[in-house]
Amino acid sequence: MSEAMGYPTIRPRRLRVSASLRAIVRETSLAPSDLVYPFFFHAGISEPRPIKTMPGIFQLPVSAAAGQAKELVARGVRSAILFGLPKTKDATGSSGLDPEGPVPLAVKAMKAAAPELIVMTDVCVDEYTDHGHCGILRTRRDGQVEVDNDRTVELLAQMAVMHADAGADIVAPSDMMDGRVGAIRHALDGNGFETTAVMSYAVKYASAFYGPFREAADCAPKFGDRAGYQMDPGNAREALREAALDEAEGADLLMVKPALPYLDVVRDVRKATNLPLAAYNVSGEYSMLCAAAAAGMIDLDRAMMEVLTSIRRAGADLILTYHALRAAELLGG
Ligand code: PBG
């Protein structure tokens, strides 16, 4: 090897000498349009209600939806995902099918105020069931209670059609039932919504990082956990299997969730599919940064931008994140 091949001829630091140089060789971009902002619309409140475990995030009345939609668009954030807190809950989550519920009403208000905003809805019954599980329960012969996959899938398909009817651009099932993407696609097409897209929470782990969300959406399971339907954190090959199944069933976009503890999975799924890929920077990831910053341990803005960049670098096209508005502001939106 000639001397010229190494130091002192070769100096990687040459490309780091100025902000402009660093900017032109940066491999990963981050823009406000990469970010999806989650909302919690509550049917029973008339003023925003702070979520204690998620500083800066609020449960909102539906009356706030139009203003929020306009603010997002003004900042360059092009998409939102909506969760709902209903007035009443029951065993089958029937308030989730109410066309006058908080999600369909907020979808209508947002699309009317900002037609260019892409409005996504979370399709899952856990916010609407009194037991907090992501489906209808049944008791097995051995006495164990479990979520009934096939009855739940029927419900999810109806919910997706109702959201599409309200004007949702994208429906996003987060329940992890088998076969729901195909059933939702079939139901949408059968009701004239063939242009409504499905973003599947294809790879969703049973994660401790959903803790703050369960306060935000009031959907903590009243007994047991979600390990019977969400994925085991140790599994990566299974992620590829879930992603491939949802793609085959007609998903238009795929998602990996959570993001940070699963960046390897984001990378693996990115390599395995040509569909657009989203990753969910979930509530616990958000609140962890806020708590560390509040304790004086880290700089919140810098840590946030580094986290978001890492998720893009791993291969996500879109990032669902509670940081979206602040990040967009820093990005000049
Ligand atoms: C289920 C759902 C959850 C999240 C999004 N959709 C909670 C769960 O599965 O327990 C979590 C999002 C977050 O933590 O930010 N409808």
Side-chain angles (χ1 to χ4, degrees), residues 178-326:
D178 294 328
R180 93 277 208 210
V181 171
I184 287 171
R185 183 73 269 152
H186 184 74
L188 289 172
D189 292 352
N191 285 278
F193 298 113
E194 52 283 294
T195 58
T196 305
V198 178
M199 175 168 75
S200 169
Y201 287 69
V203 181
K204 177 172 177 180
Y205 289 93
S207 173
F209 290 91
Y210 307 148
F213 175 95
R214 292 181 182 171
E215 180 206 338
D218 184 28
C219 65
K222 298 283 183 304
F223 65 90
D225 56 30
R226 303 207 203 288
Y229 39 103
Q230 299 180 348
M231 283 177 55
D232 189 286
N235 292 358
R237 289 196 307 266
E238 189 188 3
L240 298 180
R241 187 166 185 235
E242 285 281 6
L245 284 168
D246 286 6
E247 182 165 354
E249 287 179 31
D252 300 284
L253 307 93
L254 299 177
M255 192 204 297
V256 172
K257 176 186 175 184
L260 285 186
Y262 301 94
L263 290 179
D264 57 328
V265 177
V266 173
R267 170 59 56 91
D268 287 353
V269 175
R270 171 69 292 155
K271 286 185 179 151
T273 180
N274 290 321
L275 295 183
L277 180 62
Y280 202 141
N281 178 219
V282 300
S283 57
E285 300 173 43
Y286 172 84
S287 298
M288 229 169 23
L289 289 201
C290 296
M297 295 173 182
I298 58 168
D299 178 296
L300 182 58
D301 284 345
R302 283 190 60 203
M304 166 184 82
M305 295 310 257
E306 189 173 333
V307 161
L308 296 175
T309 300
S310 77
I311 300 169
R312 290 270 299 150
R313 195 185 63 234
D317 302 299
L318 289 172
I319 307 170
L320 291 81
T321 179
Y322 305 96
H323 295 298
L325 271 180
R326 176 65 185 148

Side-chain angles (χ1 to χ4, degrees), residues 15-276:
L15 295 180
R16 299 180 199 137
V17 293
S18 70
S20 294
L21 252 174
R22 293 191 293 273
I24 65 165
V25 300
R26 187 165 298 131
E27 299 170 34
T28 306
S29 68
L30 182 65
S33 58
D34 300 330
L35 309 174
V36 185
Y37 195 55
F39 285 104
F40 302 101
F41 286 108
H42 194 318
I45 59 175
S46 51
E47 292 297 323
R49 184 189 282 175
I51 298 162
K52 282 201 297 293
T53 51
M54 301 178 72
I57 306 296
F58 296 79
Q59 293 173 345
L60 296 173
V62 172
S63 58
Q68 293 286 325
K70 287 188 189 145
E71 186 182 355
L72 282 187
V73 170
R75 294 268 179 84
V77 177
R78 293 176 192 271
S79 57
I81 183 158
L82 275 48
F83 298 90
L85 291 92
K87 282 198 183 125
T88 60
K89 303 187 181 212
D90 62 19
T92 60
S94 56
S95 56
L97 296 179
D98 179 3
E100 301 294 310
V103 167
L105 292 183
V107 170
K108 280 187 192 148
M110 290 182 123
K111 290 301 290 186
E116 68 274 46
L117 183 74
I118 299 300
V119 178
M120 312 179 180
T121 58
D122 185 83
V123 174
C124 188
V125 292
D126 65 331
E127 294 125 57
Y128 306 94
T129 53
D130 50 14
H131 45 72
H133 276 286
C134 298
I136 299 173
L137 301 178
R138 70 171 175 197
T139 306
R140 292 196 323 216
R141 249 180 287 172
D142 64 5
Q144 204 180 311
V145 176
E146 66 179 8
V147 172
D148 184 335
N149 191 89
D150 299 4
R151 279 186 69 204
T152 301
V153 166
E154 285 170 32
L155 207 64
L156 296 167
Q158 290 172 35
M159 191 186 232
V161 169
M162 192 271 285
H163 289 173
D165 196 38
D169 299 286
I170 301 178
V171 292
S174 66
D175 50 282
M176 288 302 278
M177 297 302 117
D178 294 328
R180 93 277 208 210
V181 171
I184 287 171
R185 183 73 269 152
H186 184 74
L188 289 172
D189 292 352
N191 285 278
F193 298 113
E194 52 283 294
T195 58
T196 305
V198 178
M199 175 168 75
S200 169
Y201 287 69
V203 181
K204 177 172 177 180
Y205 289 93
S207 173
F209 290 91
Y210 307 148
F213 175 95
R214 292 181 182 171
E215 180 206 338
D218 184 28
C219 65
K222 298 283 183 304
F223 65 90
D225 56 30
R226 303 207 203 288
Y229 39 103
Q230 299 180 348
M231 283 177 55
D232 189 286
N235 292 358
R237 289 196 307 266
E238 189 188 3
L240 298 180
R241 187 166 185 235
E242 285 281 6
L245 284 168
D246 286 6
E247 182 165 354
E249 287 179 31
D252 300 284
L253 307 93
L254 299 177
M255 192 204 297
V256 172
K257 176 186 175 184
L260 285 186
Y262 301 94
L263 290 179
D264 57 328
V265 177
V266 173
R267 170 59 56 91
D268 287 353
V269 175
R270 171 69 292 155
K271 286 185 179 151
T273 180
N274 290 321
L275 295 183

